[in-house]
Amino acid sequence: MKRIIFTSFFIFFTVLLWSEGMQAQSVKIDSLKAIMVSSGVANGDRIEAMEQLSRILIAQNELDEALEITREAQQLSHREEDGKYGALVQSTLSYLYAQQDSLRLAFQALDSAEWYVDRTTDKAIKGRIMHRRGWLEYIVENTDKAYQSMLEALRLLEGEDTYVYQSNIYHFLAAIYAHWKKPEKQLYYTRLCLNAALKSNDPDAITNAYLSMGSSTLNRFRKDQSRKELLDSSAYFNKLVIKLTDSLQQRLVVKSTGGIAALNMANLYLEFYPASYQDSAKVYLKRALSIGKATNHPEIIGNSYGILSEFALREGDYGRADNLLQMALREISASPKSGTLIKSRISNALARVAEKKGNHKQALDYYKQYVQFDKALFDEEKLAITQKLEAQFQSEKRELALSAAMQEAAFTKQLNRFYILLIIAGAIALFFLFRSYHFRLKTSQQRQLLLTGQKHEAELQASLKAEETARLQTERELMQERLDRLEKELLAGTLQVEEKNALLQNLREKLNTLDGNDPLHRQINRLISENHQIDKGYDEIKVEFAEIRPEFIAGLQQKAENKLTRLDLKYCAYILMGLTNKEVASKLNVAPKSIRMAHYRIKQKLKLEKEENLDRFIRELGEKSVL
């Protein structure tokens, strides 16, 4: 094993150890119990003493006794009108349920605390309940909600003499920024945590803040190991915690803090210092083991034996490494608070030691044991995840319900305002209505006559407008119809003229073969010349029409990129006139097969797809040119 078995413990435990700021005062547990039973103590003071005692017992893992005292305080809080006492008790119950791994009950108790806190003006209590909300959201890994709740708690506690809670809030904000991989922000809030702890003069808050400073500087050193001063700072803060826990031992509520600091020092020597520091590390491990056993703390015990076994492995003493891990497993298993996770890791370490010794059978047995613990751990984690998901669901459900209730309350408030304004407006209107009734009656009659006249005038104007619109529409339709007829007539005439000219040209060519002195020859030439004069007039009419509607021919040539011949345009004109292929063939005096070939050729020039219809395309183009 190249590193300590449980390296993750260093960061994880120091971040989550201080799950609740303890108001460790010089008052002993016996003093708090004396206040509880004293007949001359006010009910509210008795509740506060019981709440403080419960939290001290929770820190010492006396959960059953703490729950009994808290429930007794809950009964007493029902006598108080000020909601702060009920809020305090419910907050403590929430903390208790969370320690007992019942997150659903923890959130329910917190909801009750927030119900009570709405019935008090004490800002400090409001801040503490909001801090509890942030803590619970942090437990179920809702870091965004936890962050917002912690900031709101700081706002509520601003100006209040609650430095212990402020220090704890800064502690969690630093942990959140560590989770978000922002070491600079983590260091910033860790320093604020220490400053608030020093102002509180609370030994538990101070020692935990120094412990967090050691963890923060070590995290920074791991990212940049060229900065040796960060490693020295981490060692300095952990040694300071050990020194403070020795001098403040009688005032500390959390007795295991010194053991964690000693374990951290041993881990530093193991991971970053040369082998010559091994004796110093073992001194710290001896101290950590002593505190871990005194406080019945399985994590400290397991990690201490784990580091000792690592030293034995480095010396090649596999037997001693195995014995140390066996001792750790026995002591942790005998503890009522033994954790499956620590036992799983120890079994895995034992399997590795046995493998190094060459005892593969023993390694297999340890590995099987590790698999059993790991399966149990998986089941526990699955249950924990289920509880977290349920808690998150309940939290989101509560938020949605609260949001809906707030929206409904806001809507009801606005609706009530509207009703009040409506009633006032109605009363005023009725007052003036009564005062002006006789005047308005006469005015109403005159207005009615005027409105009747205006109505008749409006109806008459509307009727005239409708008639004018209909007339204009009819004229427009007639003009369009004339234009369409004229177009067809001009198109037909053009084609007929072209056919006639072709016929006359053939006739002239044949006449040229005859004798030019023949009177019949001169007479036919004169008729052809007169016909050309008539065609010229007709062409002028056709030009005028083309100027009116040039879009059709232009559209065809644009589509065909000016590739259409005069014969192609003539064929398209016949199609526009609505002639069939047979009629077109008759007009042009060609075979129907030639018309189909022309049809195919024109489609290619117009770049039409195979499935597109040429006749439909020409008719649609002709309609567009009309518009």
Side-chain angles (χ1 to χ4, degrees):
M1 292 177 290
K2 295 182 180 180
R3 295 185 61 183
I4 179 174
I5 303 171
F6 315 118
T7 51
S8 62
F9 166 77
F10 186 97
I11 298 173
F12 178 80
F13 193 76
T14 53
V15 170
L16 295 185
L17 166 70
W18 193 23
S19 58
E20 169 69 12
M22 300 303 301
Q23 294 183 344
Q25 305 170 358
S26 59
V27 180
K28 305 290 184 181
I29 292 179
D30 291 340
S31 300
L32 292 172
K33 289 183 177 180
I35 295 174
M36 289 169 50
V37 299
S38 177
S39 58
V41 176
N43 189 57
D45 294 337
R46 182 177 287 107
I47 293 171
E48 289 181 345
M50 296 171 75
E51 188 266 339
Q52 291 179 31
L53 178 58
S54 296
R55 287 189 288 114
I56 293 173
L57 293 172
I58 293 170
Q60 296 177 350
N61 285 302
E62 301 293 339
L63 300 183
D64 292 337
E65 185 178 355
L67 181 60
E68 182 180 349
I69 293 173
T70 305
R71 285 178 173 167
E72 184 179 348
Q74 183 181 11
Q75 295 298 322
L76 295 176
S77 68
H78 295 160
R79 305 176 189 175
E80 298 294 325
E81 293 183 3
D82 194 338
K84 73 175 185 178
Y85 300 105
L88 276 175
V89 172
Q90 292 297 331
S91 175
T92 305
L93 276 174
S94 176
Y95 181 42
L96 255 171
Y97 290 139
Q99 298 301 317
Q100 293 175 336
D101 297 326
S102 181
L103 293 175
R104 181 178 61 82
L105 294 178
F107 273 95
Q108 287 179 358
L110 183 60
D111 290 341
S112 298
E114 290 176 343
W115 183 87
Y116 278 109
V117 87
D118 288 337
R119 287 150 183 79
T120 184
T121 58
D122 193 323
K123 282 185 64 179
I125 297 299
K126 290 177 180 289
R128 289 171 62 178
I129 300 305
M130 185 56 65
H131 161 251
R132 175 68 66 209
R133 168 65 64 181
W135 175 75
L136 263 184
E137 296 292 355
Y138 184 88
I139 290 298
V140 298
E141 300 177 4
N142 282 337
T143 51
D144 291 337
K145 292 182 181 179
Y147 178 76
Q148 295 297 330
S149 297
M150 290 296 180
L151 290 182
E152 178 64 16
L154 278 178
R155 186 189 68 80
L156 291 169
L157 294 175
E158 185 176 1
E160 302 289 330
D161 187 14
T162 54
Y163 293 113
V164 170
Y165 287 97
Q166 292 176 24
S167 177
N168 188 230
I169 291 170
Y170 289 133
H171 176 86
F172 275 103
L173 287 173
I176 289 171
Y177 275 111
H179 175 73
W180 288 343
K181 309 295 185 185
K182 296 183 179 180
E184 297 303 323
K185 278 287 189 179
Q186 178 191 2
L187 178 62
Y188 170 74
Y189 281 108
T190 303
R191 287 172 175 168
L192 290 178
C193 169
L194 178 59
N195 292 336
L198 292 173
K199 290 179 181 179
S200 72
N201 200 30
D202 182 277
D204 287 283
I206 293 170
T207 53
N208 189 78
Y210 280 126
L211 202 63
S212 296
M213 285 295 295
S215 175
S216 177
T217 52
L218 180 61
N219 286 341
R220 295 172 66 205
F221 173 72
R222 289 186 189 278
K223 292 185 177 181
D224 184 6
Q225 297 196 11
S226 64
R227 300 181 61 185
K228 298 296 183 183
E229 71 276 8
L230 293 175
L231 183 61
D232 295 338
S233 296
S234 180
Y236 166 78
F237 286 121
N238 281 290
K239 289 177 181 178
L240 185 57
V241 172
I242 294 171
K243 182 178 178 181
L244 286 174
T245 53
D246 285 342
S247 61
L248 302 173
Q249 187 63 32
Q250 299 303 317
R251 296 181 57 199
L252 287 172
V253 175
V254 181
K255 305 292 185 180
S256 57
T257 307
I260 296 170
L263 187 61
N264 289 344
M265 283 302 303
N267 186 37
L268 288 177
Y269 285 132
L270 173 69
E271 189 172 354
F272 300 109
Y273 286 81
S276 57
Y277 284 85
Q278 185 178 125
D279 292 338
S280 298
K282 289 181 178 180
V283 172
Y284 284 114
L285 287 171
K286 182 179 180 181
R287 179 188 184 89
L289 267 174
S290 176
I291 295 175
K293 292 178 180 180
T295 57
N296 196 20
H297 208 298
E299 285 83 3
I300 296 178
I301 296 171
N303 281 276
S304 297
Y305 279 120
I307 296 176
L308 286 171
S309 69
E310 178 68 19
F311 282 129
L313 282 176
R314 289 185 177 185
E315 295 171 357
D317 192 348
Y318 300 129
R320 177 166 173 74
D322 183 87
N323 290 335
L324 287 168
L325 291 173
Q326 288 285 5
M327 289 172 62
L329 190 60
R330 284 195 299 271
E331 292 186 22
I332 291 172
S333 298
S335 172
K337 298 186 294 180
S338 60
T340 307
L341 176 62
I342 195 77
K343 290 190 287 188
S344 171
R345 290 176 175 174
I346 291 173
S347 298
N348 190 30
L350 282 167
R352 293 180 180 178
V353 172
E355 187 176 359
K356 286 182 178 293
K357 290 193 301 183
N359 191 339
H360 298 294
K361 182 179 181 304
Q362 190 179 45
L364 180 61
D365 291 339
Y366 284 137
Y367 185 75
K368 289 180 179 178
Q369 189 179 50
Y370 160 74
V371 170
Q372 290 177 352
F373 284 131
D374 193 60
K375 183 178 181 302
L377 179 63
F378 174 77
D379 293 337
E380 291 177 4
E381 289 178 348
K382 186 167 62 175
L383 178 61
I385 290 172
T386 301
Q387 288 186 340
K388 286 181 181 179
L389 290 175
E390 181 183 3
Q392 290 176 356
F393 170 75
Q394 294 297 334
S395 176
E396 292 175 0
K397 181 179 177 182
R398 172 189 169 278
E399 288 183 1
L400 289 173
L402 181 61
S403 176
M406 291 175 64
Q407 290 179 0
E408 184 177 358
F411 175 75
T412 303
K413 188 176 181 180
Q414 291 180 353
L415 193 62
N416 290 337
R417 288 179 180 175
F418 173 75
Y419 285 152
I420 292 172
L421 291 174
L422 189 63
I423 291 171
I424 294 173
I428 295 174
L430 286 174
F431 173 74
F432 284 103
L433 181 65
F434 180 77
R435 290 284 305 272
S436 61
Y437 173 73
H438 296 289
F439 296 101
R440 290 192 302 106
L441 182 61
K442 187 175 181 180
T443 303
S444 176
Q445 291 174 348
Q446 294 177 350
R447 185 181 300 166
Q448 185 65 34
L449 292 174
L450 180 61
L451 289 174
T452 303
Q454 291 177 347
K455 180 178 179 183
H456 287 312
E457 183 179 355
E459 289 176 351
L460 180 60
Q461 290 180 353
S463 177
L464 291 174
K465 187 175 182 180
E467 291 178 0
E468 180 67 17
T469 302
R471 184 180 65 78
L472 291 174
Q473 181 66 27
T474 303
E475 290 179 354
R476 188 181 295 109
E477 291 174 355
L478 287 173
M479 288 179 66
Q480 184 63 45
E481 184 179 348
R482 289 174 184 174
L483 183 61
D484 291 342
R485 186 170 66 252
L486 178 59
E487 176 191 357
K488 291 181 179 180
E489 289 174 355
L490 284 173
L491 187 60
T494 301
L495 296 174
Q496 289 174 0
V497 166
E498 289 179 355
E499 291 174 2
K500 180 194 67 178
N501 287 339
L503 180 62
L504 290 175
Q505 183 62 31
N506 291 333
L507 180 60
R508 172 172 284 180
E509 290 174 356
K510 290 188 177 189
L511 283 175
N512 288 335
T513 61
L514 300 177
D515 184 6
N517 297 321
D518 191 341
L520 181 61
H521 181 277
R522 288 195 300 270
Q523 186 177 3
I524 291 174
N525 271 336
R526 187 177 64 254
L527 289 174
I528 291 173
S529 299
E530 290 175 356
N531 183 73
H532 281 312
Q533 291 297 324
I534 294 170
D535 288 346
K536 183 178 180 181
Y538 184 79
D539 287 340
E540 291 176 356
I541 297 172
K542 184 175 66 174
V543 168
E544 291 177 0
F545 177 75
E547 289 177 353
I548 296 172
R549 237 189 77 184
E551 293 86 355
F552 176 69
I553 300 299
L556 280 175
Q557 289 290 18
Q558 182 180 2
K559 179 71 174 174
E561 297 179 353
N562 294 319
K563 294 180 180 179
L564 294 175
T565 64
R566 182 179 180 85
L567 182 61
D568 294 335
L569 292 173
K570 182 183 291 188
Y571 178 67
C572 293
Y574 280 133
I575 293 175
L576 183 61
M577 293 173 62
L579 299 182
T580 64
N581 288 349
K582 185 176 180 180
E583 290 171 337
V584 172
S586 176
K587 285 279 185 181
L588 297 178
N589 196 25
V590 295
K593 181 179 179 181
S594 298
I595 298 301
R596 287 194 294 271
M597 292 298 296
H599 186 282
Y600 175 76
R601 184 180 64 255
I602 293 172
K603 280 188 67 174
Q604 284 187 323
K605 291 181 180 180
L606 291 173
K607 298 180 181 178
L608 298 179
E609 299 293 336
K610 183 177 180 181
E611 63 274 6
E612 290 187 84
N613 188 280
L614 178 63
D615 293 5
R616 185 183 301 111
F617 171 78
I618 290 175
R619 285 195 294 272
E620 289 177 355
L621 183 61
E623 291 174 359
K624 289 180 182 178
S625 64
V626 175
L627 299 178

